């Protein structure tokens, strides 16, 4: 027996017996998916783990204390640990789950005035804060101590909030059904704005008008859609809103998404971009494709793309990178993958030659899909609903049954062309034969067989009393099987057109049938919840469906597998022979009933379609997990059909483009030559300038070398003087350091003696304190123990008194019961008073005991404090010992410092020598920079003259450009006029030919009538009457026709010329506006560049001034350091080894650093001046229209 077949889905399915998913939520880390479903009429909340392949179910959440209602909104917390779920109002609930532990943390009831859209979300950074909106309520909840507490109070009239999004920790933006955007900050209204209904841009309207159909039905449909649009203008709705880094995006009208960005103005957020849905040119009404309601908006994590979902089940995307380039024009979405069905799929079929399938739907579209590449190859929308589709085995043609006709369509390369129409209304089923030479079409209760070559009706199969639901051909096209709603399954012989066998079960409404490969067994499913195996005109086996209605059936070509689709959208795979028990694999797939099923010829793919508008492509595996092997490898055909007119149009377009490419090449060559000439001239000028500069620099170099030699001699003399001076300072430092060492030794001996004395005193004090504390503790303990004994004796006496009084009280009670009621009351009052007094005395005694306990505690605390003091004294002793050790270390450090100072003196000498060298270099650089500044001033003057000349040249070039532009526009006008004339002449030619044909037909008729008249040549009366009839018939009629034709020609010519002039006028207006915008943008750019250059020149001048001042400051700091050294030499010996020496060292290091920084700045300034010089040389040639005011300012700043 073969292995049981199994299927694999591209994505994980939902729960078994699910009626559809009501809500979804993905965790922020993209690891978990939460889904709300209805399974067997019970709500189920499930969390899946997406990181595992395939996704596995992690947790199922349920709470017994809450009413069983399905959640319509879900949201994960920022860390993914918590899940918020909301059921639909009214009588809704908001639940807060710790989903990993399946624990309901909190729940709150939502009281709302009406039902509607409900949305829930978490704060982006707070797990405990939840926002929920709906019809008439906006609520913020915070979870704390097992409850959800409302944080905000609603003010004003309640709004119908359709959506919301968190913009930050405190801000929430909400959209209403009246087109309002409301911003709440910490639960209070902060900002509000109303959005008007957005109309599509003019580009969409113009494209739609040019591609309208000429038929009256198309015009009426277009008017109806425009009326709908005008009604929608008054009702804008914010149907979706989502936040991103710059602001938020929302959908206010059908077919548009608005981007809002944050501003610092009062408006807080401002509209920055409109993104529209595109027109679908393959639709019968292209306008309607852009008028879909957007119900969901989503950004990618990197915010590079935005994806939207519409109410027509379509997904569109837009790349956010292009928004900067399209700030002025309206942007457009594009399909995420391809357009999808938006209504129930009614037909599905496959072919032999190609890996394609055809589907048709109640959305009036026919689509061709490739199930190997998972792509949409062809797609077209029609005016009528499509009920059935069948593909020719070649994959080049298809049959589609529409509500008005059955159409034979050619599948072209990029279009679908209706080749033939058949007068079959509301054809619910049609099918090509396996050979492709015949096709069957259901017309009411009759099955019509046509030839697909001659399109003749070969045979009509009559006999069904109910509506025919399915038809199938045998593999050899010899047999034909059909089923209907009255429980009949007929097998037809196509040669005779009669029934060969039949099986009728009136209690069952059959919905689908399938044939085995040898056509001996028929599998049928229907309304009686069974799968029937029919052969030899009788039901051989009947397999129960277990409380589910089977809606579709398919059999593999190998005959080992049977696949069944159910009304719940599930797919069941079972082996053949059919099992009587639940021995099958069931897969959850569609959200609606399965309408059509088909399996490919190689048994590798199962294709299913459903009422929910989705198509599933399943891969078929055996039970072991391997793909089923096919004996032959299938080779698919790659041929396509194309119209001759399309080929001619494309070849003409290619010729036009080739001519255009040649023209552009010549233009580019001409411009390249001009640029080469200009560059050669510029290079010559630069070479001359550089040669002059090289000569001047050589002369400068010789002068500087002579000065350098002089300064070297001077520095050698100064060095010898400094060396002598340094030797004297070293001797003085040695004598001072020796004196200081002696002083420190004496201090150290004194400190040692003091520390010994202190140690002895502290030990004596510690001993005395310990003895006194021990005595005091003993005395206090004895005293308090005596007091405790006394108080305990008193307590015992009081308790004995209490017992005696209680006994007396009981005896008195017995006597009082015999007395009257008044005496009872008096005695009760007396004894109650006594009881109160005794209780008060007891309380006083207890209070005294508490006071004694407190005293004991205080004494114990005092003991602890004394012990702490002893410990602190010991710590102080340790600290003093540490100080002594540190002083010893300081003595060693001072000795090492003396040696280090000797080394530093030598380093200082080297530093002084380096400083002097650097000072000389700075003076040289100063001289060079002054010379360079003068040269640049001269260059600027010459460059200003060049700028003036270039400006004049630019004005001349602009005049020439304007002249060329006018000439080009005139030529374009001439071309358009000539084209119009050509079109007009073509039309006139066509008319003349038509007239010629009409005249020829008239002449033929006239000849025949004349021939008839000639027959009456002997009878004069009949001859006369015949000639009169000829005159009235032909002469008068031709005159009237000519006059009418002339009038209509004049009117049409007038209308043509008027339309042509109106188009030219609109085109000229657009061109003028565009030219003005381009000119203004270029003008502003040049002005800004000029201003930035002037600012850079001024900044460089200021930096030069700062450099001069810094050089002067360095010279003054060097003099000051010399003076400080002289003053410090005369200071006392105690101050020599202290901080001033360190300060002096730091000052010298700082001066070295300052000099190095100044050197780097000077080098940077030199590089900047060279770059600016080159920039000034090139700039006059690049700048176009420089403003006069900017030139005057730059001239003034240069003079300053």
């Amino acid at each position: 027996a073969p292995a049981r077949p199994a299927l694999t889905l591209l994505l994980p399915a939902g729960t078994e017996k699910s009626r559809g998913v009501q809500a979804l939520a993905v965790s922020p880390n993209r690891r978990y998916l939460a889904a709300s479903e209805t399974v067997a009429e019970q709500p189920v909340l499930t969390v899946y783990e997406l990181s595992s392949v395939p996704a596995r179910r992690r947790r199922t959440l349920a709470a017994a204390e809450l009413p069983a209602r399905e959640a319509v909104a879900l949201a994960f917390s920022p860390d993914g640990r918590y899940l918020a779920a909301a059921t639909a109002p009214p009588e809704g609930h908001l639940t807060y789950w710790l989903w990993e532990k399946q624990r309901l943390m909190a729940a709150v009831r939502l009281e709302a005035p009406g039902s509607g859209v409900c949305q829930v979300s978490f704060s982006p950074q707070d797990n405990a804060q939840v926002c929920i909106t709906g019809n008439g309520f906006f609520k913020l909840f915070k979870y704390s101590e097992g409850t959800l507490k409302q944080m905000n109070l609603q003010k004003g009239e309640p709004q119908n909030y359709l959506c919301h999004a968190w913009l930050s920790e405190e801000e929430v933006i909400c959209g209403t059904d009246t087109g309002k955007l409301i911003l709440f900050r910490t639960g209070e209204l902060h900002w509000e704005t109303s959005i008007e209904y957005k109309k599509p841009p003019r580009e969409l309207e113009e494209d739609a008008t040019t591609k309208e159909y000429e038929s009256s039905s198309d015009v009426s449909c277009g008017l109806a859609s425009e009326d709908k649009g005008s009604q929608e203008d008054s009702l804008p709705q914010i149907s979706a809103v989502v936040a991103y880094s710059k602001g938020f995006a929302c959908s206010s009208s059908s077919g548009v998404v608005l981007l809002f960005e944050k501003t610092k103005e009062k408006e807080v957020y401002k509209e920055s971009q409109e993104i529209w849905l595109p027109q679908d040119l393959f639709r019968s009404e292209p306008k309607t494709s852009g008028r879909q309601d957007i119900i969901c908006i989503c950004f990618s994590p990197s915010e590079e793309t935005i994806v939207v979902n519409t109410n027509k089940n379509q997904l569109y995307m837009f790349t956010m990178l292009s928004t900067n380039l399209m700030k002025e024009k309206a942007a457009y979405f594009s399909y995420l993958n391809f357009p999808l069905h938006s209504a129930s799929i009614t037909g599905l079929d496959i072919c032999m030659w190609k890996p394609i399938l055809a589907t048709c739907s109640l959305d009036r579209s026919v689509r061709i899909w490739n199930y190997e590449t998972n792509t949409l190859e062809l797609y077209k929308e029609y005016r009528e609903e499509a009920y059935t589709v069948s593909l020719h085995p070649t994959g080049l043609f298809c049959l589609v049954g529409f509500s008005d006709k059955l159409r034979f369509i050619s599948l072209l390369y990029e279009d679908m062309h209706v080749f033939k129409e058949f007068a079959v209304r509301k054809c619910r089923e049609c099918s090509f034969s396996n050979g492709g030479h015949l096709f069957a079409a259901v017309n009411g209760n009759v099955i019509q067989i046509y030839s697909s070559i001659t399109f003749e009706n070969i045979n009509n199969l009559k006999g069904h009393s109910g509506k025919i639901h399915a038809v199938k051909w045998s593999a050899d096209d010899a047999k034909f099987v059909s089923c209907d709603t009255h429980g009949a399954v007929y097998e037809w012989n196509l040669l005779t057109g009669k029934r060969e066998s039949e099986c009728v079960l009136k209690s069952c409404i059959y919905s689908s049938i399938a044939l085995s490969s040898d056509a001996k067994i028929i599998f049928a499913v229907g309304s009686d919840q069974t799968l029937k195996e029919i052969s030899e005109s009788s039901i051989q086996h009947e397999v129960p469906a277990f409380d589910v209605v089977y809606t579709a059936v398919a059999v593999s070509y190998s005959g080992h597998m049977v696949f069944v689709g159910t009304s719940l959208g599930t797919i069941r795979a079972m082996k053949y022979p059919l099992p009587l028990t639940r021995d099958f694999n069931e897969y959850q797939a569609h959200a609606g009933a399965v309408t059509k099923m088909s399996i490919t010829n190689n048994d590798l793919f199962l294709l299913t379609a459903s009422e929910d508008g989705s198509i599933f492509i399943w891969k078929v595996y055996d039970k072991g997990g391997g793909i089923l092997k096919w004996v032959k490898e299938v080779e698919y055909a790659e041929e396509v059909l194309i119209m001759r007119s399309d080929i001619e149009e494309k070849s003409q377009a290619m010729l036009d483009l080739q001519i255009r490419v040649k023209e552009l090449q010549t233009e580019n060559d001409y411009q390249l030559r001009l640029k080469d000439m200009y560059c050669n001239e510029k290079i010559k000028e630069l070479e001359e300038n550089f040669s002059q500069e090289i000569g001047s620099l050589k002369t400068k170099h010789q002068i500087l070398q002579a000065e350098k030699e002089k300064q070297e001699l001077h520095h050698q003399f100064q060095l010898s003087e400094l060396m002598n001076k340094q030797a004297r300072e070293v001797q003085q430092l040695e004598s001072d350091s020796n004196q200081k060492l002696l002083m420190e030794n004496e201090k150290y001996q004194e400190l040692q003696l003091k520390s010994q004395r202190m140690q002895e005193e502290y030990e004596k004090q510690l001993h005395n304190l310990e003895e006194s504390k021990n005595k005091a503790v003993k005395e206090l303990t004895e005293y308090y123990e005596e007091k405790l004994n006394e108080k305990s004796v008193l307590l015992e006496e009081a308790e004995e008194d209490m017992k005696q009084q209680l006994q007396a009280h009981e005896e008195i009670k017995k006597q009082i019961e015999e007395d009257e009621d008044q005496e009872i009351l008096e005695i009760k009052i007396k004894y109650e008073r006594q009881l109160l007094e005794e209780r008060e005395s007891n309380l006083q005694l207890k209070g005294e005991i508490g006071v004694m306990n407190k005293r004991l505690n205080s004494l114990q605390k005092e003991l602890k404090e004394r012990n702490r003091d002893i410990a602190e004294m010991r710590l102080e002793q340790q600290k003093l010992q540490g100080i002594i050790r540190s002083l010893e270390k300081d003595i060693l450090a001072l000795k090492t410092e003396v040696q280090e100072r000797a080394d530093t003196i030598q380093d200082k000498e080297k530093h002084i020598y380096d400083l002097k060298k650097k000072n000389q270099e700075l003076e040289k650089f100063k001289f060079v920079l002054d010379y360079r500044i003068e040269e640049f001033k001269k260059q600027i003057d010459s460059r200003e003259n060049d700028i003036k000349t270039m400006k004049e040249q630019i004005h001349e070039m602009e005049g020439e450009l304007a002249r060329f532009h006018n000439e080009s526009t005139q030529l374009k006008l001439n071309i358009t006029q000539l084209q119009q004339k050509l079109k007009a002449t073509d039309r006139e030619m066509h008319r003349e030919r038509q007239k010629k044909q009409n005249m020829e037909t008239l002449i033929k008729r006239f000849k025949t009538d004349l021939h008839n008249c000639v027959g009456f040549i002997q009878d004069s009366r009949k001859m006369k009457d015949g000639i009169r009839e000829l005159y009235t018939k032909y002469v008068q009629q031709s005159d009237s026709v000519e006059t009418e034709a002339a009038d209509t020609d004049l009117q049409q010519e007038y209308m043509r010329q008027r339309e042509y002039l109106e188009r030219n006028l609109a085109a000229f207006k657009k061109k003028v506006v565009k030219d003005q915008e381009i000119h203004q943008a270029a003008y502003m750019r040049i002005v800004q560049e000029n201003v930035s250059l002037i600012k850079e020149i001024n900044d460089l001048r200021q930096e030069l001034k700062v450099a001069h001042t810094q050089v002067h400051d360095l010279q003054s700091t060097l003099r000051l350091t010399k003076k400080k050294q002289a003053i410090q030499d005369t200071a006392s010996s105690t101050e020599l080894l202290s901080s001033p020496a360190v300060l002096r060292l730091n000052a010298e290091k700082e001066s070295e650093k300052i000099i190095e920084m100044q050197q780097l700045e000077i080098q940077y300034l030199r590089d900047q001046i060279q770059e600016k010089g080159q920039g000034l040389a090139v700039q006059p040639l690049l700048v176009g229209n420089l403003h006069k005011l900017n030139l005057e300012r730059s001239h003034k700043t240069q003079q300053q």
Side-chain angles (χ1 to χ4, degrees), residues 959-982:
E960 287 178 2
L961 261 171
R963 193 170 67 253
F964 283 131
H965 185 67
N966 292 328
E967 287 175 1
S968 67
T969 51
Q970 189 63 39
L971 286 167
K972 284 177 183 176
L973 283 168
N974 292 333
I975 289 158
T976 51
Q977 286 174 2
L978 288 166
Q979 285 175 351
Q980 291 290 327
K981 285 177 183 177
L982 258 172

Side-chain angles (χ1 to χ4, degrees), residues 43 53 62 127 178 192 335 434 440 459 532 571 615 618 625 739 750 769 806 840 854 944 989 1016 1022 1029 1048:
V53 180
N127 289 339
T178 57
E192 183 178 345
Y335 282 107
N434 292 311
N459 210 338
K532 298 176 180 64
I571 309 296
I615 302 159
W618 307 75
Q739 287 176 4
E750 288 174 2
L769 282 167
L806 284 166
E840 285 173 0
K854 283 179 183 176
E944 282 179 354
M989 283 284 289
F1016 302 114
K1022 288 182 180 178
E1029 282 175 5
T1048 54

Side-chain angles (χ1 to χ4, degrees), residues 275-300:
I275 310 172
W276 290 86
L277 294 182
Q279 279 192 0
D280 195 343
L281 300 177
F282 291 100
R283 288 201 172 194
S284 56
E285 295 176 8
K287 280 186 184 179
T288 57
S289 62
R291 291 179 182 170
Q292 302 176 47
D293 292 332
I294 294 165
I295 56 175
C296 184
I297 308 170
C298 181
F299 280 91
S300 65

Side-chain angles (χ1 to χ4, degrees), residues 882-1060:
I883 290 161
I884 290 158
R885 288 170 191 163
S886 64
L887 286 167
E888 286 174 357
K889 287 178 183 177
D890 290 336
I891 290 159
L892 291 168
L894 287 165
K895 287 177 182 177
T896 53
E897 274 182 8
V898 169
Q899 291 175 356
E900 286 174 359
R901 291 290 169 85
D903 297 329
T904 52
I905 287 158
Q906 292 176 357
D907 294 331
K908 282 176 190 175
E909 288 172 0
K910 289 178 183 177
H911 286 309
I912 290 159
Y913 178 74
D914 294 330
L915 283 168
K916 285 176 180 176
K917 273 191 175 180
K918 286 171 185 174
N919 196 6
Q920 290 170 7
E921 286 174 1
L922 285 168
E923 286 173 357
K924 290 175 189 175
F925 288 138
K926 181 186 173 186
F927 179 78
V928 172
L929 288 168
D930 290 331
Y931 185 80
R932 272 292 176 91
I933 288 159
E934 288 174 1
E935 282 184 349
F936 281 126
K937 283 179 181 176
K938 291 175 184 176
Q939 285 180 2
I940 287 159
D941 294 331
S942 63
R943 296 288 157 76
E944 282 179 354
N945 295 325
D946 293 335
I947 287 161
K948 286 176 184 176
T949 55
M950 290 304 291
K951 272 183 76 177
E952 290 172 359
Q953 287 178 4
I954 287 157
H955 284 303
E956 290 173 1
M957 293 295 282
E958 281 179 349
E960 287 178 2
L961 261 171
R963 193 170 67 253
F964 283 131
H965 185 67
N966 292 328
E967 287 175 1
S968 67
T969 51
Q970 189 63 39
L971 286 167
K972 284 177 183 176
L973 283 168
N974 292 333
I975 289 158
T976 51
Q977 286 174 2
L978 288 166
Q979 285 175 351
Q980 291 290 327
K981 285 177 183 177
L982 258 172
K983 287 178 183 176
T985 51
D986 288 333
R987 287 173 186 167
E988 284 174 4
M989 283 284 289
H990 184 68
R991 283 179 197 150
E992 288 296 323
R993 284 173 183 167
Q994 192 68 35
K995 283 180 185 177
K996 185 184 173 186
Q997 288 175 0
N998 293 333
M999 289 301 291
E1000 284 174 357
T1001 52
L1002 275 168
I1003 288 159
K1004 284 178 184 178
R1005 288 176 190 168
F1006 184 73
K1007 282 179 180 179
T1008 52
D1009 291 335
L1010 262 177
H1011 184 71
N1012 293 329
C1013 275
V1014 168
F1016 302 114
I1017 198 162
Q1018 293 178 356
D1019 193 349
S1020 60
R1021 286 181 183 178
K1022 288 182 180 178
M1023 185 80 171
K1024 191 177 181 180
D1025 293 331
I1027 289 161
R1028 279 178 183 172
E1029 282 175 5
L1030 284 170
Y1031 180 81
T1032 55
K1033 189 174 180 181
Y1034 293 104
V1035 177
Q1036 292 178 357
Q1037 187 178 0
S1038 63
D1039 292 337
S1040 64
V1041 167
E1042 283 175 4
T1043 54
E1044 285 173 4
D1047 291 336
T1048 54
D1049 289 342
L1050 282 168
Q1051 286 177 358
Q1052 286 176 355
E1053 185 64 30
Y1054 174 73
M1055 290 301 288
R1056 263 192 243 105
Q1057 287 180 359
R1058 185 177 176 181
E1059 285 175 0
Y1060 170 70

Side-chain angles (χ1 to χ4, degrees), residues 750-764:
E750 288 174 2
L751 284 166
Q752 268 188 340
L753 291 168
K754 280 181 184 178
S755 65
Q756 285 175 2
R757 288 172 194 165
M758 290 281 284
Q759 216 170 1
E760 289 171 358
E761 286 174 1
Y762 282 130
E763 284 175 356
K764 287 176 184 177

Side-chain angles (χ1 to χ4, degrees), residues 305-452:
T305 56
I306 178 172
V307 177
V308 298
N309 180 22
T310 69
N311 62 339
K312 296 287 180 71
N313 296 341
Q314 302 300 326
L315 289 170
Y316 294 91
M317 67 170 287
F318 178 73
T319 53
M320 293 293 287
L321 296 172
S322 61
T323 53
N324 295 326
L325 303 172
M326 301 172 71
K327 283 285 182 185
E328 295 179 0
K329 295 182 180 179
Y332 297 97
F333 284 99
S334 60
Y335 282 107
L336 182 64
N337 286 318
F338 33 71
L340 306 167
H341 283 296
S342 59
S344 174
I345 296 169
T346 54
L348 180 146
D349 197 20
I350 58 172
C351 69
M352 294 281 288
W353 282 23
K354 295 182 179 182
I356 59 172
L357 70 141
T359 57
C360 63
S361 171
L362 295 179
D363 61 5
R364 300 183 291 186
S365 69
V366 178
R367 297 166 200 255
I368 308 298
W369 311 81
N370 190 315
Y371 56 78
E372 280 199 338
T373 59
N374 296 328
T375 54
L376 180 67
E377 292 197 347
L378 271 178
Y379 143 65
K380 193 165 186 179
E381 191 172 312
Y382 293 89
R383 290 281 175 181
E384 297 83 18
E385 290 181 344
Y387 298 125
T388 181
V389 67
S390 179
L391 267 177
H392 194 269
T394 59
L396 300 174
F397 309 99
C398 73
L399 271 173
V400 184
F402 292 97
S403 57
D404 58 344
K405 288 180 182 178
L406 175 70
R407 290 180 173 88
F408 188 93
I409 297 171
S410 299
L411 303 178
L412 305 178
Y413 177 59
E414 291 178 340
D415 196 9
M416 296 184 189
H417 175 66
V418 178
F419 185 74
K420 183 77 175 174
E421 292 183 346
F422 301 92
V424 180
R425 290 178 60 81
K426 293 185 179 179
C427 178
R428 297 283 177 176
E429 283 295 325
C430 66
S431 178
F432 274 104
S433 64
N434 292 311
H437 59 293
L438 299 173
F439 65 86
V442 174
N443 189 357
N445 296 337
V446 181
I447 302 167
Q448 296 178 342
I449 308 296
Y450 290 87
S451 170
S452 57

